[in-house]
Amino acid sequence: MADERRAGYDGTGEGAISPDGCAVEVWSRLPAGDAPDVIEAAVPPGARILELGCGVGRMTHPLTDRGFAVTAVDESPDMLARVRADVRTVRSPIEELDLGERFDVVVLASFLVHAGDVTVRRGLLETCRRHVTEDGCVLVQREGEDWHRNVPRESAIGPGARARLVSATPVGDGVNSVRFEYVFPDGTWTQTFLSRPLGTEAFERALAEADLVVERYLTADRTWVRARPVL
């Protein structure tokens, strides 16, 4: 049974669909890319990591295998069912999470910081701040500056498989409704979600609202950021 969908979020295709429109089967097939390398290079060896929005464990498993102690959080039980049994998992909407403990590193990846609902975005970043140690860091993955332009476009995601950003349609208040298609030899899945573009200044203001400040942009395209808590 599909999870209850968030307003403005949807997905189609075989198998379970998460509340934000992600197809569990698709996320089980997508490569982790260079994200585990970026994270490993930015944090102390063996750090305790809180991964928010872990999905099926695409980054969770590589980080665990590299010696990090990962607590993986997701609101979808179908996603968490794909995470290995040796990983601590927590089912919860990110913006409602309060574990009563702090971590060396909090990771908010998958462009979640671009949530269309400003209240949700604030909740996500407040969760990051609430769970990071005073000398720890928050790693945020953000969209590229031109992510909503040059649409449609597509990229390879495996043998015979393509991810297509089909459209990014303004729906008011600075928010776009974004539609993706994931085409594999054995099936096609779609995801529709709301995304609020954030330039560098707007992004840094959003962090500041949660008492976080950019320490360093970790990649040349400035999509991965290391932030520190404001003390």
Side-chain angles (χ1 to χ4, degrees), residues 125-140:
L125 292 173
E126 287 168 0
T127 293
C128 292
R129 179 63 180 87
R130 183 163 57 245
H131 288 89
V132 69
T133 60
E134 292 192 352
D135 60 349
C137 65
V138 176
L139 303 185
V140 182

Side-chain angles (χ1 to χ4, degrees), residues 20-220:
D20 60 357
C22 292
V24 174
E25 181 61 32
V26 168
W27 287 89
S28 298
R29 301 182 185 194
L30 291 178
D34 64 355
D37 297 331
V38 172
I39 294 170
E40 182 178 29
V43 304
R48 294 180 68 238
I49 296 177
L50 178 64
E51 184 189 358
L52 301 174
C54 66
V56 298
R58 288 187 313 134
M59 292 188 294
T60 315
H61 299 149
L63 292 173
T64 300
D65 291 343
R66 298 178 193 199
F68 296 103
V70 182
T71 294
V73 178
D74 205 278
E75 65 181 335
S76 168
D78 296 299
M79 289 286 192
L80 290 176
R82 304 287 183 104
V83 178
R84 291 191 327 225
D86 62 329
V87 176
R88 177 194 180 193
T89 60
V90 178
R91 181 189 176 192
S92 174
I94 297 169
E95 63 270 30
E96 298 176 9
L97 184 71
D98 190 350
L99 296 177
E101 57 185 295
R102 298 198 175 207
F103 297 79
D104 305 315
V105 181
V106 179
V107 177
L108 184 70
S110 301
F111 308 146
L112 292 174
V113 73
H114 292 272
D117 187 328
V118 172
T119 301
V120 171
R121 184 190 71 205
R122 287 172 178 157
L124 301 178
L125 292 173
E126 287 168 0
T127 293
C128 292
R129 179 63 180 87
R130 183 163 57 245
H131 288 89
V132 69
T133 60
E134 292 192 352
D135 60 349
C137 65
V138 176
L139 303 185
V140 182
Q141 185 184 26
R142 58 192 290 256
E143 297 168 350
E145 296 288 347
D146 63 347
W147 197 83
H148 290 258
R149 297 192 288 271
N150 189 27
V151 177
R153 64 179 184 270
E154 67 176 48
S155 58
I157 52 175
R162 311 290 293 181
R164 296 173 178 162
L165 199 172
V166 178
S167 59
T169 306
V171 293
D173 190 34
V175 176
N176 289 340
S177 176
V178 179
R179 180 179 172 85
F180 262 93
E181 290 181 354
Y182 298 94
V183 181
F184 292 84
D186 61 341
T188 298
W189 288 261
T190 71
Q191 182 187 9
T192 302
F193 58 94
L194 299 179
S195 178
R196 181 181 296 274
L198 294 172
T200 298
E201 289 186 8
F203 169 71
E204 293 186 0
R205 283 198 304 270
L207 291 182
E209 289 179 357
D211 289 331
L212 295 168
V213 62
V214 170
E215 179 184 47
R216 184 161 68 90
Y217 288 90
L218 300 173
T219 52

